[in-house]
Every structure is written in C-alpha cells, then in structure tokens.
Amino acid sequence: MELIVDTERLQRELDRLATFSEATAPAVTRVVFSEQDHEARQYLKGLFAAAGLEVRVDAVGNTFARWAVEDSLPGAVGTGSHTDAIPNAGMYDGTVGVLGGLEAIRTLQRSGFRPRRSIELLMFTSEEPTRFGIGCLGSRLLSGSLAPEAAAKLKDREGCTLDLLRGKAGFQGELLGTVLPSGYYSHFVELHIEQGALLEREGLAIGIVTSIAAPASLRIVIEGEGGHAGAVLMPQRRDALAGAAEIVLAVERAARESGAVDTVATVGLCEVFPGAVNSIPSRVTLGLDVRDTELKRRDGVLQSIVAAGDEVGASRRLTVRYELLNADAPAVCSPVITQAIAAACDQHHVSHRPMVSRAYHDSLFMSRVAEVGMVFIPCRGGVSHRPDEYASPKDIAAGVLVLAETLAALAGSAAA
C-alpha cells in the first residue's frame, strides 16, 4: 500500500487548534474544562466525525474516535495523546499525537488499507496537572490507577471539585465507568515531540521509546522558630530556610550519586513563612520531584533524601515532615511495538534510534492495561512548555508516516 501524509492539512489543523487559547499567540493556554478546552473539543470532534470515526466521550471527557471494523479481532489498536496545555505553553505538546494520530488513520483510509482490528484515536483529558495538581488524570482513571472516589474529591485552586467542574463541562456519569474493560486495547502507540534535544543534535528523525521514567512527588515541611532578624543571635537560631537549603543540596547530591544518568531530582517549589526580609523563617515547604527509569533506584534516592532531611533536622533542632504525594512506577515499552516502529522506519528509510522518555506521558498509565510504545519526533532546541516550542512539518509528517505503518502492522490487514 502507498501511504501519503497530507502534511499541509495537518499543519492547518494544528494551527487552528492553537487558536483555542486563553493566551495570545504564539503562546497557548488551554486548561481542562475551560471555555477554550470546550471549543477545542468541539473542533476536534468535528474532524473525527468527518473522518468517519465513531465518537464517544466518557464521564471525565476522555474522547474516543474509532475506525470500527466488523467482526474485528479482539482488542483495538489505540493511538492518541492530549490537547490541554499549561499556561504560556506551545502548540505541539500532545496535539501532535492527537491530530497526527487522526492523520495516520486518514492516511491508512486513503491507501485502501483494511484493518483486522479496529483502530481507535484517544484524546486524554487533563494530561497536564495545571487544574487539579495531578498529571494524566484521564489515563489514570482509564487504567484504574486512580480510584474514582479519590478523583471525585480533587479540587482546583478555587476549591471546585472535579465532579462539579466535569458536570459543568457537560460530562456526566459515574467515574467508575471510565475504567477500560480488560483487553479493550491490544496495543497503544503514542506520537509525541521529544521535549529534549537528542534527536535534533544527532540529526535523526525518529526516537523509539524503550522505557518511560516515572515521578515520585514529595512535600517536605521544615519547621523551626521565627524571630527578629537582628535580635536573635546565631547560636540560638532555628532557621527553617537554612535547614531547607541543606536539604535542597542533599536532593541534588542524592540524584548525582545514584550511579545512573537516568536519575533526576528537582526542588521546584520553596514557600517561606512569614516571608519578610527582617524575620527569621519559621516554616518552609519544599516541593520535590524525583524521576528514574528504574523503580528500585528511584525509591532508594527518596530514602536517601529522607535520611539527609532527618540529619539536618537533628543537627539544626528543626522538625522535618514528609508527605509522599504520588509514586508512580516506570513503564517498559513492548518489544512487539518497538520492533514494529523500527520496521516501519526501515521500510520508509527514516533514521531512528532507541531512547528513554524522561518526561512521563499518558502511555505510562496505559501500560497498566495494554502493551504500549511511543514514537518521538524532534523539537527545535529541545524546547517544550514554552511559546517557542516547535516541530517542523517535515518531522511531524515523518512521525505520522511511521505511526500509520506501525498501526497497520499491529492491526493486521484484512486482505492478508
């Protein structure tokens, strides 16, 4: 079969989708359940229907668009990503996987290909943690990784619950019904920009993801004793910020000493109370993110950080408390899918290499219910989550071509 990607139409659709934004172009802000999110969903559902796909939406807004096959083999082949965007983001993160997935299906349809398994495009709700403070909300629910009763209690910064907001957005029904039945997907393949600079630096078109790193998030609260910056002498001080500074350095040291380049740790939040220049900080809250492709190593780093925090607390007479917010397991991509992606690249003379996804994606949670794989394409300078995020039409088209060939291989041909 001859596969021809309609690059110009795909770029027009990406450009159009980017206009559904609270921010001014080139920035994109599209928070889940916002007016812009609603408008984008309506636009996309129109495209799905125009492609002859059967569209359904679940109780949290996960949107399924199926190329249904009569008497199909059990387990659909899935593809897709997300379209929500953090504040002041770019137009390619997630959207390439949704609109690129749609174009991959249309490419197969135009070629006359007849699959033996249904092929389904899935647009996940709220991959970004912007509104509810938790990433991959839709895929967590689909995979059963997040209990419906816990999800229902999630709140945004204004105190509005997920149940309230999804209802206002028009998504009804019990969250329990979002969990996918066993065997719903046989395979799931996500197309995504790399969000790193490795492919661009090496001049390669495709990254074949072999594993997906997963985060653990930790909140650390350090409490000491406040006081006047001039009146409390140094020997009597119990400065919470000074202790926090030592813990931050211990976090960096623990990651550097893990023995693996795949270990990363970041303190991205530091809240100081009372926050006055002439007052000794009495309380500091740190927000910590630790990621690795190996669960045991990552959890070992967490243990090292807690041990270091306890030492700081004892030496400085501080109280240090820890709250584990989440600790997701990494995922290993299916060899069946990675081999299919490599074969598709070779068939179309597209350069490629295996690589690790250091960011996590909805595919991490889909790995709990199906074999998964990911196709990465280059993004300029490795930039993502910024208005200058960019993937070229040529690179996007190459990713769509490889995705289409991979989906065809996994779905099987009715003509065979």
Side-chain angles (χ1 to χ4, degrees):
M1 62 182 175
E2 184 179 13
L3 299 180
I4 301 175
V5 176
D6 192 337
T7 307
E8 292 183 2
R9 176 167 66 169
L10 176 53
Q11 189 60 51
R12 286 196 304 270
E13 291 169 347
L14 285 164
D15 291 339
R16 175 65 174 145
L17 183 56
T19 66
F20 301 108
S21 169
E22 186 180 343
T24 303
V28 176
T29 299
R30 191 165 47 245
V31 179
V32 69
F33 303 146
S34 65
E35 178 183 347
Q36 295 77 21
D37 179 52
H38 173 74
E39 292 172 348
R41 288 172 180 273
Q42 295 305 111
Y43 170 65
L44 289 164
K45 285 167 70 176
L47 294 180
F48 301 159
L53 306 181
E54 298 177 358
V55 180
R56 72 175 180 91
V57 182
D58 72 9
V60 79
N62 290 311
T63 302
F64 305 77
R66 177 169 289 219
W67 181 10
V69 177
E70 290 186 11
D71 300 321
S72 65
L73 293 175
V77 175
T79 188
S81 195
H82 66 99
T83 57
D84 62 316
I86 67 169
N88 203 47
M91 61 176 278
Y92 297 95
D93 174 20
T95 60
V96 165
V98 175
L99 285 170
L102 174 61
E103 179 56 23
I105 291 173
R106 293 187 304 214
T107 298
L108 290 172
Q109 291 173 334
R110 287 193 299 269
S111 75
F113 175 74
R114 295 172 54 222
R116 297 188 67 199
R117 282 190 170 91
S118 294
I119 299 177
E120 187 166 81
L121 175 63
L122 173 50
M123 186 180 77
F124 296 98
T125 281
S126 194
E127 191 267 357
E128 303 291 3
T130 308
R131 184 140 210 177
F132 297 106
I134 184 172
C136 299
L137 173 60
S139 55
R140 287 178 190 269
L141 284 166
L142 289 175
S143 62
S145 302
L146 176 63
E149 56 271 22
K153 296 176 184 177
L154 292 172
K155 295 180 180 181
D156 67 4
R157 292 180 181 179
E158 283 70 49
C160 298
T161 65
L162 170 62
D163 266 0
L164 174 66
L165 290 167
R166 71 183 178 92
K168 286 185 175 181
F171 304 123
Q172 307 295 330
E174 297 294 328
L175 289 178
L176 183 61
T178 60
V179 180
L180 293 176
S182 177
Y184 184 88
Y185 288 121
S186 60
H187 307 84
F188 189 88
V189 190
E190 183 173 2
L191 173 66
H192 208 282
I193 59 172
E194 181 191 350
Q195 298 181 289
L198 185 59
L199 291 174
E200 181 184 60
R201 190 161 57 239
E202 296 187 1
L204 299 173
I206 295 293
I208 303 174
V209 176
T210 57
S211 59
I212 306 170
S217 299
L218 188 67
R219 181 182 291 127
I220 305 178
V221 179
I222 304 103
E223 292 185 302
E225 187 173 40
H228 194 285
V232 181
L233 301 180
M234 301 309 287
Q236 282 74 50
R237 293 200 177 194
R238 297 170 57 215
D239 186 326
L241 183 55
E246 284 196 36
I247 292 174
V248 171
L249 292 175
V251 169
E252 181 184 55
R253 185 167 58 251
R256 289 181 179 275
E257 294 177 354
S258 77
V261 71
D262 290 331
T263 311
V264 291
T266 306
V267 177
L269 176 69
C270 181
E271 297 176 345
V272 181
F273 181 84
V277 69
N278 62 343
S279 180
I280 299 166
S282 61
R283 184 178 70 249
V284 174
T285 301
L286 300 177
L288 168 65
D289 180 295
V290 181
R291 304 188 186 206
D292 206 320
T293 55
E294 184 179 298
L295 182 62
K296 183 177 180 181
R297 188 168 58 221
R298 186 202 66 192
D299 289 350
V301 169
L302 282 172
Q303 292 169 8
S304 297
I305 291 168
V306 170
D310 288 344
E311 288 182 12
V312 170
S315 65
R316 289 184 170 272
R317 295 177 295 124
L318 304 170
T319 299
V320 183
R321 293 182 285 108
Y322 313 90
E323 180 184 0
L324 186 64
L325 303 178
N326 70 277
D328 301 310
V332 176
C333 293
S334 162
V336 171
I337 298 179
T338 58
Q339 290 167 15
I341 297 170
C345 289
D346 292 339
Q347 182 174 343
H348 293 280
H349 309 289
V350 177
S351 58
H352 59 91
R353 63 157 292 170
M355 63 191 310
V356 169
S357 174
R358 304 187 191 285
Y360 76 109
H361 306 275
D362 288 305
S363 288
L364 176 72
F365 296 97
M366 294 305 289
S367 72
R368 315 303 195 235
V369 294
E371 295 189 39
V372 301
M374 294 193 71
V375 177
F376 276 177
I377 61 170
C379 55
R380 185 172 60 194
V383 168
S384 183
H385 283 192
R386 284 176 12 190
D388 55 337
E389 175 182 277
Y390 178 76
S392 73
K394 178 182 177 182
D395 287 334
I396 295 172
V400 171
L401 178 63
V402 169
L403 176 62
E405 193 71 63
T406 303
L407 295 177
L410 296 173
S413 173

